[in-house]
Amino acid sequence: MAQAVPQSMRVITTNNEMSQACREAVKPVGLVPTMGALHAGHLSLVDQARADNLTVIVSIFVNPTQFGDQKDLEKYPRDMEGDLEMLRRHGVDLVYAPTVDEVYPKGFNTWVDVGPLADKLEGLQRPGHFRGVATVVSKLFNVMRPDRAYFGQKDGQQVVVIQKLAMDLDMGVEVVVMPTIRESDGLAMSSRNVQLSPNQRLAASVIHRALCQMYLLWSGGERNGDVLRESARNILRAELAVDEIDYVSVASMVTLDEQTTIEGRAMVSAAIRMGSVRLIDNIVLE
Ligand code: PAF
């Protein structure tokens, strides 16, 4: 819930000052890492962090190393003033908003590689993406040493990757995963949605309909992965050309391997292109 009275909120831009502020912060500390252009999905993470912790930090950093395409990086939406205003209203204590040079100083050359998890699904379409995500999230954890960090299920593979890195590298951070927040037609909230034209925006909810179809089949007892994938593709094809469908997946939540027969916890996901905008979404089968 947004707090009625605006809190005093410190905005910090350097690692040293941020580390110092975190050492002095009242524990437990909750961190919400973001790339800004905040929406209700981010704010649900902030509110949960506020409910769970005595100090809440939000980082705002458009991380260049997770973008393969320079144009995509340049056109990524940014609204620092609007973001800070929202965070103030939601009772955030500290905002970390470093420059690119602060995070990646000259000579930076150490990377976090999470192995095969990074090469599937989004990783196939965006080589190097998860190396960039894993590296920046590790750096954020090291600078701030939070007790908990909050991520949205919307980026399902990212959540799996970050849980693995937190465990493998003994980060001592509890990774809290919050449900996807959706528009009234089911479209998952995303900073990229503002880049859709009105017609694309209308059509974009097709990705959620396709995922719901897979979920319905699975709820009815269907366990054949191909049957689920084909049912989703049929729905997507009504709105999109074949080359606008990047992938439709039914994968294990542990290995992210495609499932022939669905067993255990699985995630149905899809990625589509609408003009220059790429949309992803998922539903966990559990
Ligand atoms: O989900 C995001 O916004 C980013 O991938 C993250 C986790 C902030 C790392 O840059």
Side-chain angles (χ1 to χ4, degrees):
M1 287 293 284
Q3 299 200 346
V5 183
Q7 307 285 300
S8 68
M9 183 177 81
R10 264 179 84 190
V11 181
I12 296 176
T13 56
T14 64
N15 289 340
N16 283 343
E17 204 187 333
M18 195 65 217
S19 293
Q20 180 64 29
C22 290
R23 277 194 291 275
E24 290 164 2
V26 189
K27 307 255 180 304
V29 171
L31 168 67
V32 182
T34 82
M35 296 206 299
L38 303 179
H39 51 67
H42 295 111
L43 296 177
S44 74
L45 307 182
V46 172
D47 291 345
Q48 188 63 46
R50 188 68 283 170
D52 295 345
N53 302 281
L54 290 174
T55 301
V56 175
I57 309 176
V58 174
S59 62
I60 300 179
F61 178 63
V62 182
N63 175 35
T65 65
Q66 68 189 75
F67 288 80
D69 177 3
Q70 186 63 24
K71 281 209 189 83
D72 191 26
L73 171 63
E74 278 161 19
K75 74 175 194 314
Y76 195 82
R78 289 163 173 86
D79 178 13
M80 187 56 89
E81 280 316 305
D83 290 349
L84 294 180
E85 187 46 39
M86 275 188 228
L87 296 179
R88 235 174 245 120
R89 280 193 275 114
H90 282 252
V92 167
D93 301 295
L94 296 169
V95 173
Y96 180 47
T99 60
V100 172
D101 287 343
E102 184 70 14
V103 178
Y104 299 110
K106 198 166 179 304
F108 176 89
N109 207 9
T110 303
W111 299 94
V112 179
D113 177 350
V114 291
L117 285 180
D119 301 332
K120 296 166 186 162
L121 301 171
E122 285 300 290
L124 276 177
Q125 312 285 324
R126 305 176 68 187
H129 171 68
F130 288 110
R131 186 175 91 141
V133 170
T135 301
V136 82
V137 168
S138 303
K139 291 193 61 130
L140 295 173
F141 285 179
N142 285 336
V143 170
M144 287 172 262
R145 308 211 174 259
D147 299 286
R148 302 188 181 95
Y150 295 78
F151 298 89
Q153 177 57 39
K154 151 84 171 46
D155 296 303
Q157 184 175 8
Q158 171 169 283
V159 162
V160 175
V161 162
I162 290 170
Q163 283 170 328
K164 180 91 171 93
L165 103 85
M167 188 177 71
D168 285 356
L169 297 182
D170 306 310
M171 289 290 192
V173 178
E174 182 191 342
V175 175
V176 181
V177 183
M178 296 294 294
T180 303
I181 305 293
R182 299 182 180 282
E183 305 282 359
S184 55
D185 65 353
L187 180 67
M189 291 207 182
S190 162
S191 305
R192 293 180 190 272
N193 291 354
V194 296
Q195 297 170 333
L196 295 167
S197 71
N199 281 344
Q200 288 169 338
R201 170 62 194 84
L202 274 179
S205 64
V206 70
I207 188 167
H208 184 237
R209 292 201 300 280
L211 295 174
C212 286
Q213 173 63 18
M214 293 204 272
Y215 183 79
L216 277 178
L217 286 172
W218 176 82
S219 303
E222 182 60 68
R223 292 293 181 267
N224 183 320
D226 285 337
V227 171
L228 264 65
R229 282 181 283 264
E230 195 44 35
S231 73
R233 281 187 177 277
N234 282 338
I235 290 179
L236 292 173
R237 278 187 208 118
E239 297 282 357
L240 301 163
V242 173
D243 63 357
E244 291 172 322
I245 306 170
D246 271 356
Y247 61 79
V248 171
S249 160
V250 182
S252 150
M253 282 289 281
V254 179
T255 61
L256 295 177
D257 285 333
E258 285 304 313
Q259 303 272 281
T260 311
T261 305
I262 305 164
E263 286 162 2
R265 254 183 122 221
M267 177 172 80
V268 293
S269 64
I272 61 172
R273 287 169 203 273
M274 306 201 95
S276 62
V277 186
R278 200 161 168 281
L279 298 176
I280 60 170
D281 197 359
N282 69 82
I283 296 178
V284 177
L285 306 181
E286 58 186 350

